[in-house]
Amino acid sequence: MKRIGVFTSGGDSPGMNACLRAVVRSGIAAGLEVFGIYRGYEGMIEGDIVQFEKHHVSNIIQRGGTVLKTARSAKFMTPEGRREAHANLLKHGIEGLVCIGGDGSFRGAMTLHEEFGIKVMGCPGTIDNDLFGTDYTIGFDSAINTVVTAVDKIRDTADSHNRLFFVEVMGRDAGFIALHTGIASGAESVLIPETKTYIPELIQQLEKGWRQNKTSAIIIVAEGDDGGGAYEVAEKVKEKFNKYDTRVSVLGHIQRGGAPSAFDRVSASRMGAAAVKGLLEGRTNEMAGIINRQIVYTPFSKATKHNQEINPQLLELVEILSQ
Ligand code: F6P
């Protein structure tokens, strides 16, 4: 293998640039020519491909977002779109790819391998932390730090006004961001898609807090929770329990931006270099993740199909610590 391509795809996450830098620099160090593919599969179809030298990735390790840009491509879902993408890879002599993204991006990579035999490795880039085969995805740590900073601020005003706040966080259909930020910000309760939400139980808990003279409360609601988003849950609670003045805050895309944490930069650098190493060893269709501090390669089929499990001890901890 002489030439490889790298692209970022799906929702961006802080640390993608650090991962890109690692792919480019470790690839060049191993004697490869490395091509940056802009705007994910969309840029692959349109031939938006540029050879990267070491200096192309200077001064990006500290930057959020992705300098390669990203996109969700509808055209890549069609056989014609994929043929065009493959033709562009052939034109540049690209024999291997590193895909930095989440499960949808990996599924695209698997199809590319199936149809054209191109070797593909992945690095888990998503704030959601929902991929099986890695303890942490690139961007998760930065995102939870952003959420915690925001919730600390919300707590100040909640406390001043004796208010109950429902704070909605991202995560699509996974509750990792909610659970971790709930613990780190000392939330009264955390509502996540992985467990059934019982509004009467939540009200009971709030009533108990009220009786114990808690003057304010924070409930973290994962956007994918079965009880609905923060607005819906707040309405349901207000109907039966109105001791506190209630407010809702949806944190939204600030969770995806900002400088990556040191943890994300290190993980992303390790994973990027490991993906290149994997390609050089002849691996394909695998994600380079980190489990128990070691690089582990997990087949895309497992990384995307199996759910990363919520640690029940963390759920228990939220309950104990919020009393
Ligand atoms: O997968 C990352 C993520 O930020 C999810 O947490 C969220 O549900 C989704 O992307 C939002 O996507 P978009 O930026 O397309 O609105």
Side-chain angles (χ1 to χ4, degrees), residues 138-207:
I138 299 165
F140 174 68
D141 185 65
S142 310
I144 61 175
N145 277 292
T146 299
V147 172
V148 168
T149 304
V151 176
D152 287 350
K153 292 179 180 178
I154 290 172
R155 196 179 271 289
D156 286 346
T157 174
D159 192 48
S160 305
H161 287 262
N162 290 354
R163 280 176 172 163
L164 161 62
F165 263 85
F166 291 87
V167 181
E168 184 177 303
V169 300
M170 279 187 169
R172 205 180 290 275
D173 47 12
F176 296 96
I177 296 179
L179 182 55
H180 286 250
T181 56
I183 294 173
S185 63
E188 272 57 40
S189 189
V190 171
L191 310 182
I192 56 173
E194 290 83 353
T195 58
K196 180 101 190 82
T197 292
Y198 293 105
I199 301 291
E201 231 172 62
L202 176 61
I203 293 176
Q204 250 179 28
Q205 195 197 341
L206 287 167
E207 273 170 346

Side-chain angles (χ1 to χ4, degrees), residues 74-298:
K75 199 163 177 205
F76 189 76
M77 302 292 179
T78 67
E80 194 207 332
R82 292 195 292 275
R83 268 197 302 275
E84 282 174 35
H86 181 239
N88 282 323
L89 297 178
L90 281 182
K91 198 161 103 191
H92 288 89
I94 295 171
E95 298 160 282
L97 288 172
V98 176
C99 166
I100 307 169
D103 54 353
S105 310
F106 292 166
R107 273 192 285 272
M110 278 197 282
T111 315
L112 212 50
H113 175 73
E114 239 169 65
E115 293 178 353
F116 307 103
I118 185 136
K119 292 202 157 55
V120 197
M121 291 296 288
C123 296
T126 165
I127 61 166
D128 299 340
N129 208 39
D130 57 347
L131 286 164
F132 181 82
T134 192
D135 291 337
Y136 297 105
T137 56
I138 299 165
F140 174 68
D141 185 65
S142 310
I144 61 175
N145 277 292
T146 299
V147 172
V148 168
T149 304
V151 176
D152 287 350
K153 292 179 180 178
I154 290 172
R155 196 179 271 289
D156 286 346
T157 174
D159 192 48
S160 305
H161 287 262
N162 290 354
R163 280 176 172 163
L164 161 62
F165 263 85
F166 291 87
V167 181
E168 184 177 303
V169 300
M170 279 187 169
R172 205 180 290 275
D173 47 12
F176 296 96
I177 296 179
L179 182 55
H180 286 250
T181 56
I183 294 173
S185 63
E188 272 57 40
S189 189
V190 171
L191 310 182
I192 56 173
E194 290 83 353
T195 58
K196 180 101 190 82
T197 292
Y198 293 105
I199 301 291
E201 231 172 62
L202 176 61
I203 293 176
Q204 250 179 28
Q205 195 197 341
L206 287 167
E207 273 170 346
K208 189 172 161 207
W210 174 261
R211 285 197 303 274
Q212 290 170 349
N213 299 324
K214 274 201 184 200
T215 53
S216 63
I218 305 274
I219 312 295
I220 306 283
V221 186
E223 63 178 350
D225 184 60
D226 58 301
Y231 278 103
E232 211 178 316
V233 174
E235 277 311 311
K236 289 180 195 163
V237 170
K238 258 200 295 192
E239 276 170 24
K240 303 257 158 57
F241 174 78
N242 58 5
K243 295 271 194 270
Y244 297 103
D245 189 18
T246 300
R247 290 291 184 275
V248 173
S249 180
V250 177
L251 297 185
H253 285 79
I254 62 160
Q255 295 163 90
R256 287 238 298 262
S261 65
F263 183 87
D264 272 331
R265 296 181 201 193
V266 174
S267 308
S269 301
R270 292 183 68 193
M271 291 172 185
V276 172
K277 186 165 173 274
L279 279 177
L280 288 168
E281 288 168 358
R283 291 176 181 274
T284 185
N285 269 4
E286 290 179 354
M287 180 189 84
I290 298 177
I291 301 177
N292 290 334
R293 292 184 286 158
Q294 301 300 320
I295 290 288
V296 174
Y297 295 107
T298 300

